[in-house]
Amino acid sequence: MTPSEIYQGLSTDQRESLVGDSIMFMRTITEVFGAEMGHRIWDRIADEIDPCLKQDILMSMLMGHTGRRIRFRRGPIAHEAVGVIKAIRTATGLGLKEAKDLWDASAYSWAQVDVEDREQVRTLLQDLRQFGMIIQ
């Protein structure tokens, strides 16, 4: 299968995850190698990926989605509502009501948040797992 065929066969959730991860990767190589070399590295990689994926990445960035989308739901041992809500608020800047709504929604479906800062992504993932949440 070609990269295009693979990309076209992905679910919406898988595409969103791939786009978010690609943006985070672009940011990381730019931070580590500097803007000029980071862009050269990305250009080489971009030559090999599906044009629709490149377009989705660009459109996502133009719309301001420059971070990572984290999808989660309650696991069978998730019980720390206060800890989860606090972790979400700390990582995202959401208010108490919005964070609680995500906690409530995670009981019966996948909830999702966008986190801009790479360190906060790591911290939130760690906290959510610690509190028994399932990460997608």
Side-chain angles (χ1 to χ4, degrees), residues 51-110:
C52 291
L53 172 57
K54 287 193 281 190
Q55 179 182 350
D56 288 349
I57 292 169
L58 176 62
M59 293 306 297
S60 185
M61 292 174 70
L62 289 173
M63 292 171 43
H65 301 289
T66 58
R68 161 94 183 178
R69 178 163 288 158
I70 298 173
R71 292 175 48 90
F72 61 93
R73 73 180 300 153
R74 287 191 216 174
I77 61 168
H79 60 281
E80 288 286 330
V82 173
V84 170
I85 292 167
K86 182 178 178 183
I88 292 169
R89 293 187 69 201
T90 300
T92 65
L94 290 174
L96 178 59
K97 181 187 181 329
E98 293 85 359
K100 184 177 181 312
D101 289 347
L102 288 168
W103 165 259
D104 293 340
S106 73
Y108 53 86
S109 66
W110 290 100

Side-chain angles (χ1 to χ4, degrees), residues 28-68:
T28 301
I29 61 172
T30 301
E31 290 171 7
V32 170
F33 297 107
E36 185 177 326
M37 184 176 280
H39 287 129
R40 282 199 312 253
I41 292 168
W42 177 250
D43 285 342
R44 288 183 188 160
I45 294 168
D47 288 341
E48 300 298 323
I49 63 175
D50 177 60
C52 291
L53 172 57
K54 287 193 281 190
Q55 179 182 350
D56 288 349
I57 292 169
L58 176 62
M59 293 306 297
S60 185
M61 292 174 70
L62 289 173
M63 292 171 43
H65 301 289
T66 58
R68 161 94 183 178

